[in-house]
Amino acid sequence: MKKRKLLIDCDPGHDDIMAILMTLAHPEAFELLGITTVAGNNHMRQVTDNLLRTLTYLGRTDIPVAMGSESALILDPEPQDAHGKTGLDGFDFPEPGFLPVPEGAVEFMKNAIMNSTEKVTIAALAPLTNIALLLLAYPEVKEKIEEIVIMGGSVCRGNMLARSEFNIYADPHAAEAVMRSGVRVVIAPLEVCDYCIVNEEDIRYWQNKKTKTAQLCGGLMNFFAGYGRQRGWSEFTVFDLATIMYLLYPERFEGFDGTCHVVPDGAYTRGMTVIDPCEGGHIHTLMKADKAFLNARFREAIDLLDA
Ligand code: BDR
Ligand code: CA
């Protein structure tokens, strides 16, 4: 497997952290150039603080963090309850041991991409505000982007409205700008995320194991599972993890090429992704994956980080 140069744009967020852990467990596959933050699950400064605390706990203060947009392009931020008051409830984190870089997220990504000798992949785990601003302000980056793998949207479901997923709903204008940028996009919509889960046994395993990353995962996933437990579920979708899983194991996913347009507004339609399978479309939508395989790889990855 070719080692990818990778940027992660995120709003941590429990599932964002799981995606970051999966990335850190595979240095043979990823050279992580940095992580950028954006308003989403919680306010931008809060999710940045969550990220800095997590990386401090993990001893990875070497990873550059850059702060991004404090709101969507046009709409106001709407923090989510699912991640608790801090946006990352369930674990007692240390104070952040380092600061974000002085450049903002858009400048940081532009410099990382333009200074790279190889094309750069972007994993987008949050509203697409930073990415849209990057592509609009610095179109020269487009030919140096390998692909943008987005957790967002849905083919015919929703978690905000009947047909709208949170990351796209939060900034539909940015999402549309990214979809029409011409850059190769891979969408991990709600449908495929359900193949990327943790279950009660995983959570118990991590809680009982007294090692550092296992404790972090046990605490965070136990909190995150609360929402599903109240509804009688025994496995819990770790949405953002689908992006990194796809980059690591593309052969375990099924999808189709086509186009995607985003509905900007409407009481029932804001953030709806209109995904149309058609030949020659530059947007690849993932639909299915090998759930048991991916679950086993995630357990393994957390063990690897603690080895
Ligand atoms: C997405 O919304 C956020 O709450 C999660 O972190 C994920 O990126 C799922 O709809
Ligand atoms: Ca997220």
Side-chain angles (χ1 to χ4, degrees), residues 9-17 40-41 83 124-127 151 165-167 239-240:
D9 186 65
C10 62
D11 59 344
H14 297 74
D15 52 331
D16 302 73
I17 296 299
N41 285 324
H83 300 265
L125 318 181
M151 189 284 119
E165 180 280 331
F166 173 72
N167 287 341
F239 305 91
D240 294 335

Side-chain angles (χ1 to χ4, degrees), residues 228-277:
R229 278 187 195 127
Q230 283 170 6
R231 289 158 180 80
W233 306 343
S234 58
E235 34 180 65
F236 313 103
T237 301
V238 190
F239 305 91
D240 294 335
L241 186 55
T243 59
I244 303 300
M245 287 296 188
Y246 169 73
L247 290 169
L248 284 165
Y249 311 111
E251 70 287 353
R252 299 284 172 162
F253 285 77
E254 287 173 34
F256 59 85
D257 288 337
T259 55
C260 174
H261 288 285
V262 181
V263 181
D265 49 25
Y268 303 107
T269 52
R270 169 179 158 186
M272 181 175 160
T273 40
V274 181
I275 295 176
D276 187 10

Side-chain angles (χ1 to χ4, degrees), residues 9 11 58-59 78 116 124 166 219 222 276 287 305-306:
D9 186 65
D11 59 344
L58 295 170
E78 287 183 31
S116 171
F166 173 72
N222 189 45
D276 187 10
M287 285 302 282
L305 288 168
D306 279 333

